[in-house]
Amino acid sequence: MKILKFGGTSVGSAKSISTVIDILKKEYEAGEKPVVVLSAMSGVTNLLSSMAENASKGEDFTVQLAELETRHFDMVRTLLNVQHQNPAYTRLKINFNHLEELLQGVLTLRELTPKTRDLILSYGERCSTLMISKMAAQYFPEALFVDASELIKTDSDFGHAKVNMELTELLIKGFTQENPDKMLFVTGFIASNDAGQITTLGRGGSDYTAAIFGSALNAAEIQIWTDVNGMMTADPRMVKKAFSLPELTYTEAMELSYFGAKVIYPPTMIPAFLKRIPIIIKNTFEVDFEGTIIQHHCKPSSLPIKGISSINDISIINVEGSGMVGKSGFSGRLFSLLAREQINIILITQSSSEHSITFAVNPGDAEKARRVIEQEFELELLANKLEHPDIEQNLANLAIVGENMKQTPGISGKLFHALGRNGVNVRAIAQGSSEYNISVIISSKDLAKALNAVHDAFFVQLNKTLHAFCLGTGNIGTTLFNQLNQHSGFLQENNGIQVKIAGISNTRKMIFNADGLSLDKWQDELQQSDEKANLAAFVAKMKQMNLPNCVFIDNTASPQPIEFYEDIFKSNISVVTCNKIGNSAAYSQYKTFRDTARQHGVDFFYETNVGAGLPIIRTLKDLMSSGDRVKRIEAILSGTISFIFNNFKGDANFHDVVKMAQDKGYTEPDPRDDLRGTDFMRKILILARDAGYAMEAADVQIESMLPKSCLEAQSVDDFYAALKKEDAYFTKLKEQAEKEKKVLRYIGKLEDGKAAITLQMVDESHPFYMLSGSDNIISFTTDRYKDRPLVVKGPGAGAEVTAAGVFADLINVGA
């Protein structure tokens, strides 16, 4: 015996009902005559509830009633043969006439009691089951409509009736024995009390009906057919990476369902749990998918958790006061009161001092809970032994669930690290001693971000997603997008990282897409965007989108983005930048950036500030963090100046070499911007600060390599003219170096807390002697590298290597 339950979406259209019939045909052809439990058509229960409410307010309900009739009659017309239609129309019309009489009574009395509401709502399942049983009879002559209210007996708690399982099982067994060859089509959700009055089983009642029949008949399995591929690791509407779970234990499924997974309702499982009947969640719209099996034992799993469930909207109530401390029975008194008032408690947590109790409820129950607590504890409130209960709204619950959590160290640490790094504040925490569930209360606006961040943290077999917001679309920005596009497959396969560009801005326009902009078409999309560039608005939108694992990338050389760095860090967003202005301005600003990033658990990466793609900053940080002590740093950190002096030899004159460097694009439009050493100074200053020295720009001594006449020239042309006149000066330097078998190098040096940039002549024993092209080079002399310094050498300029440095920083965010 199998029990097959079909939900509202499974019977919501002609196409889906045809699919249901096809599923039943396969069972029938295999020799099965399952019990079929049916929900109301999708949307019908809400429509019935709305009609009842309208009637109780004296409002018209006839338009909605006509809509209800039309939906059912259209299904009959579409799926029943003509010769079978009239009996179906007649039975349905009788139901609708009874329903109209009921609603008219509510309208006349302006009163809607729970008993009347249950009776009105029952017509959803009655009509759908009657209709589908008639359709099924065309293929299965044994099809029999069964009104479950005649078999399932409950108390008189209308809306949430409790089942008399002993009597119900006797009635079900007796009915099936009287109809041994029939295929039963049973109304879900509805039952009746001892007086024969209709009751309903509450939310998920049709699932419960299936479980009750399964338990009574000792079914081999219970199939719940719905519109999703089984139980999933998270809500797929918010977590696009959520995937179906092949199997769950009863405990895991109940924990997931209780905390928001709406595929199945917790009471559904209790009859099956007691008799260890497997429950299989299947998808009516993808019938070949295996779905999820829920059973007593599961195969061992390598997953640390099975899933993440969530409740989108809850409220928490804080009860605190000195009168609670050491007071026996206070909790019992509080929660007995709430139970009497039918207020469901979702989660409870209490401080170890017993000074406060926090519990979560549905928002609709919050004010009622506060009111009854104030009435019950009136004397304690008057004596100031208790504070007035405080309600916090707009909250959500997130819970991680899984039997593997038990006695596994680090689970809670991973959860809170994922939440903390993404700036998700936890208002309350609860964990049972079973260790199957850790629940946290967070702001509802952070729920989607939290779910995605936690999902990435626990399901490591999936790719971690970084959401990047990129400022600047010049050479470096464009090259970065090309590199990301070219290597996206490699990143996912080898690093487990997916990068989504969620926002792009240049000086003219900006564009956003939470699902990621196309790296093939971003230029066209940006060009067609109607949003004008506005840096403050760009940052505000990035914060508003509230995406997990968010990174702000500054690929500009402008001082304007720097003003937003601190606020970005405070929003728990990491910063990757090749803009060196922020780190080379006032030391107080440099320190603020580092401290703020550290306080908010995010990254601040700026490798390209010093040597483009060369691992200079990272090398220095590794030396420092491992306890090594830097004695001396020497460096050539200007690709422009490196090119000039590497080519200033033989018959070449300085004027021509500088002009060649400019023609090749190595220099700024005014070469003096490079030759003054200002950019070099910023790099040395950043290195000094990272080495632990609180230095300002004025503390770096810069020896000018240019004569005064060159520096004071009014224009670039005048500069070149002056440079030509000073040819003897530069030729003399070159000849002296050659005579001493040395080469000219413009070297920055940090030693004993002092930094200077000077023009030097070095011989072949010096590590900088063999420098060529536009390469940069840096040597670290430390306690560990004292006899032979640690040297890093390579291209220090160019869009490709700089973009590669930004790329490397980006994929290290959160590592």
Side-chain angles (χ1 to χ4, degrees):
M1 172 66 69
K2 291 182 182 178
I3 312 294
L4 274 62
K5 178 264 173 178
F6 294 93
T9 53
S10 299
V11 296
S13 68
K15 183 178 180 182
S16 60
I17 293 174
S18 296
T19 303
V20 169
I21 299 295
D22 288 340
I23 292 168
L24 296 178
K25 284 180 182 177
K26 287 184 180 179
E27 295 288 339
Y28 191 80
E29 289 165 3
E32 295 280 354
K33 290 182 183 177
V35 173
V36 182
V37 178
L38 296 161
S39 296
M41 295 175 70
S42 57
V44 164
T45 302
N46 289 338
L47 188 62
L48 290 166
S49 181
S50 176
M51 283 192 284
E53 291 293 339
N54 289 345
S56 70
K57 297 172 186 175
E59 297 173 3
D60 181 63
F61 59 81
T62 56
V63 174
Q64 291 171 303
L65 181 59
E67 178 189 338
L68 189 68
E69 290 187 16
T70 300
R71 281 194 68 183
H72 287 81
F73 289 164
D74 284 349
M75 289 298 115
V76 171
R77 196 175 299 113
T78 304
L79 296 175
L80 261 177
N81 294 330
V82 174
Q83 64 269 31
H84 298 134
Q85 289 180 5
N86 280 337
Y89 284 139
T90 301
R91 292 284 301 275
L92 286 171
K93 189 59 181 175
I94 292 170
N95 281 346
F96 292 135
N97 288 342
H98 289 165
L99 178 60
E100 185 176 14
E101 290 172 6
L102 272 172
L103 291 167
Q104 192 62 50
V106 172
L107 180 69
T108 302
L109 295 172
R110 300 290 197 276
E111 181 182 35
L112 179 63
T113 65
K115 180 167 72 173
T116 305
R117 177 189 288 274
D118 273 6
L119 185 53
I120 290 170
L121 295 182
S122 73
Y123 282 95
E125 272 71 17
R126 284 173 164 184
C127 290
S128 68
T129 307
L130 172 67
M131 180 179 69
I132 293 170
S133 68
K134 295 293 184 185
M135 295 170 183
Q138 298 175 114
Y139 309 97
F140 322 115
E142 305 94 329
L144 177 66
F145 169 74
V146 180
D147 187 336
S149 66
E150 298 174 3
L151 302 177
I152 299 178
K153 292 299 177 179
T154 68
D155 61 12
S156 297
D157 184 8
F158 296 99
H160 304 280
K162 295 176 180 60
V163 177
N164 180 337
M165 289 298 295
E166 186 175 351
L167 175 57
T168 295
E169 289 201 0
L170 284 173
L171 291 171
I172 291 172
K173 286 177 181 176
F175 183 84
T176 54
Q177 286 168 3
E178 291 170 8
N179 298 277
D181 298 321
K182 299 294 184 180
M183 183 184 289
L184 308 183
F185 286 77
V186 182
T187 56
F189 182 56
I190 63 174
S192 66
N193 61 12
D194 290 339
Q197 296 167 323
I198 293 293
T199 59
T200 60
L201 303 177
R203 183 167 70 87
S206 293
D207 290 351
Y208 197 17
T209 302
I212 291 167
F213 269 79
S215 175
L217 301 174
N218 291 311
E221 64 184 46
I222 299 168
Q223 296 180 8
I224 307 292
W225 288 83
T226 181
D227 57 359
V228 294
N229 283 335
M231 297 280 277
M232 304 190 77
T233 51
D235 186 339
R237 293 168 300 178
M238 287 190 276
V239 182
K240 293 189 177 179
K241 295 181 186 176
F243 58 91
S244 299
L245 293 161
E247 60 178 0
L248 291 167
T249 65
Y250 291 121
T251 305
E252 290 170 333
M254 289 185 75
E255 291 278 2
L256 284 170
S257 299
Y258 182 77
F259 284 97
K262 296 179 177 59
V263 175
I264 196 168
Y265 186 52
T268 300
M269 285 176 280
I270 294 172
F273 181 91
L274 293 174
K275 293 196 174 179
R276 299 193 177 185
I277 301 169
I279 299 172
I280 304 172
I281 312 297
K282 302 276 283 182
N283 188 349
T284 310
F285 304 95
E286 198 172 331
V287 294
D288 293 329
F289 192 82
E290 291 295 327
T292 301
I293 183 168
I294 302 168
Q295 53 193 353
H296 191 263
H297 287 299
C298 289
K299 297 189 291 287
S301 170
S302 61
L303 296 174
I305 66 172
K306 281 291 180 72
I308 309 161
S309 63
S310 56
I311 302 174
N312 297 7
D313 190 15
I314 62 170
S315 298
I316 60 172
I317 300 176
N318 300 306
V319 180
E320 58 181 294
S322 58
M324 296 167 57
V325 180
K327 186 80 176 284
S328 299
F330 182 89
S331 298
R333 186 178 164 196
L334 171 64
F335 293 115
S336 295
L337 165 70
L338 297 171
R340 286 199 306 271
E341 296 295 330
Q342 299 292 305
I343 296 172
N344 183 46
I345 307 298
I346 297 170
L347 172 150
I348 304 168
T349 181
Q350 181 175 16
S351 66
S352 57
S353 66
E354 301 182 37
H355 186 263
S356 68
I357 294 175
T358 298
F359 57 93
V361 297
N362 292 317
D365 291 333
E367 284 298 337
K368 180 182 177 182
R370 174 157 62 184
R371 186 173 63 253
V372 298
I373 291 169
E374 288 177 341
Q375 291 170 355
E376 175 73 19
F377 296 96
E378 183 178 7
L379 293 177
E380 287 87 346
L381 289 167
L382 289 172
N384 292 322
K385 290 185 177 181
L386 205 65
E387 302 291 333
H388 284 273
D390 175 45
I391 298 175
E392 292 187 50
Q393 307 277 14
N394 302 316
L395 299 172
N397 178 81
L398 180 152
I400 58 171
V401 172
E403 291 192 354
N404 277 0
M405 293 167 56
K406 192 171 185 178
Q407 299 179 346
T408 303
I411 295 291
S412 57
K414 186 176 288 189
L415 169 65
F416 294 118
H417 179 265
L419 295 173
R421 182 173 180 83
N422 283 280
V424 178
N425 185 43
V426 175
R427 290 291 301 111
I429 306 163
Q431 179 177 14
S433 59
S434 66
E435 296 187 65
Y436 291 152
N437 174 310
I438 301 175
S439 298
V440 296
I441 303 295
I442 61 176
S443 171
S444 55
K445 69 179 177 64
D446 288 330
L447 180 59
K449 176 167 74 169
L451 282 169
N452 281 278
V454 173
H455 199 269
D456 269 5
F458 280 101
F459 296 106
V460 294
Q461 73 273 33
L462 301 176
N463 293 314
K464 173 184 175 181
T465 300
L466 296 173
H467 294 94
F469 291 80
C470 300
L471 203 60
T473 58
N475 285 341
I476 295 171
T478 300
T479 305
L480 174 64
F481 294 150
N482 290 338
Q483 291 177 354
L484 284 169
N485 196 20
Q486 182 181 351
H487 298 292
S488 60
F490 177 87
L491 277 182
Q492 293 184 45
E493 185 176 344
N494 294 277
N495 298 65
I497 293 174
Q498 179 184 22
V499 178
K500 290 185 177 180
I501 305 300
I504 299 174
S505 180
N506 55 25
T507 56
R508 299 173 300 282
K509 294 187 175 184
M510 57 187 188
I511 189 170
F512 302 92
N513 188 333
D515 293 327
L517 293 160
S518 168
L519 290 177
D520 290 315
K521 303 174 183 176
W522 69 267
Q523 288 168 309
D524 292 336
E525 291 178 3
L526 184 62
Q527 182 65 32
Q528 293 164 12
S529 173
D530 295 328
E531 291 192 74
K532 291 185 178 179
N534 181 303
L535 186 51
F538 185 80
V539 173
K541 178 70 173 179
M542 173 178 67
K543 291 159 62 178
Q544 179 193 340
M545 289 171 73
N546 206 24
L547 296 171
N549 304 317
C550 197
V551 188
F552 177 77
I553 302 177
D554 181 5
N555 283 325
T556 75
S558 168
Q560 294 177 356
I562 311 301
E563 300 170 14
F564 294 90
Y565 281 14
E566 186 176 354
D567 183 47
I568 290 169
F569 290 133
K570 287 179 178 177
S571 301
N572 293 87
I573 297 172
S574 296
V575 173
V576 169
T577 180
C578 61
N579 187 344
K580 63 181 73 70
I581 296 174
N583 281 323
S584 60
Y587 178 78
S588 58
Q589 177 177 275
Y590 164 89
K591 190 172 187 303
T592 296
F593 289 165
R594 289 169 61 89
D595 291 347
T596 308
R598 188 183 303 112
Q599 287 165 10
H600 289 82
V602 292
D603 293 314
F604 181 32
F605 290 152
Y606 47 89
E607 183 66 75
T608 49
N609 277 195
V610 174
L614 296 179
I616 293 174
I617 295 291
R618 190 165 290 113
T619 299
L620 176 58
K621 285 184 176 179
D622 287 346
L623 290 171
M624 299 288 291
S625 61
S626 66
D628 203 353
R629 189 171 64 90
V630 176
K631 292 185 172 182
R632 182 171 64 254
I633 296 175
E634 290 183 285
I636 295 174
L637 297 174
S638 168
T640 303
I641 298 174
S642 180
F643 177 86
I644 289 170
F645 282 113
N646 286 332
N647 286 276
F648 184 43
K649 55 188 176 183
D651 297 333
N653 63 67
F654 198 72
H655 168 279
D656 292 345
V657 172
V658 174
K659 192 71 173 67
M660 179 171 62
Q662 185 178 30
D663 292 341
K664 288 181 175 291
Y666 288 134
T667 75
E668 297 296 326
D670 186 339
R672 285 173 294 182
D673 292 342
D674 297 291
L675 297 173
R676 282 191 183 98
T678 305
D679 185 65
F680 198 163
M681 176 276 295
R682 289 176 178 151
K683 296 176 179 181
I684 285 292
L685 181 62
I686 293 168
L687 284 173
R689 289 171 171 177
D690 278 5
Y693 297 102
M695 295 179 66
E696 301 290 355
D699 297 327
V700 181
Q701 297 177 13
I702 304 176
E703 177 188 343
S704 175
M705 69 176 73
L706 296 175
K708 187 176 181 182
S709 61
C710 297
L711 292 171
E712 294 177 351
Q714 295 300 306
S715 67
V716 174
D717 289 339
D718 291 343
F719 160 70
Y720 274 116
L723 199 60
K724 204 159 204 174
K725 290 179 182 178
E726 298 289 349
D727 185 59
Y729 167 76
F730 291 105
T731 299
K732 182 179 179 181
L733 288 173
K734 179 183 65 173
E735 289 176 349
Q736 182 182 347
E738 289 174 347
K739 183 179 179 181
E740 297 177 16
K741 296 185 179 179
K742 296 179 180 179
V743 291
L744 291 168
R745 297 287 183 257
Y746 197 49
I747 297 174
K749 184 177 180 181
L750 172 70
E751 189 170 19
D752 298 328
K754 295 179 181 180
I757 302 172
T758 58
L759 184 62
Q760 299 180 31
M761 298 180 187
V762 299
D763 61 23
E764 59 185 6
S765 65
H766 197 284
F768 296 176
Y769 180 82
M770 296 299 294
L771 197 65
S772 61
S774 59
D775 282 358
N776 283 1
I777 190 168
I778 184 166
S779 73
F780 297 99
T781 303
T782 70
D783 286 347
R784 295 175 191 155
Y785 294 92
K786 53 190 173 187
D787 297 325
R788 297 177 62 195
L790 172 61
V791 176
V792 179
K793 174 187 172 185
E800 283 289 338
V801 292
T802 304
V806 174
F807 192 145
D809 277 350
L810 172 61
I811 63 174
N812 276 292
V813 167

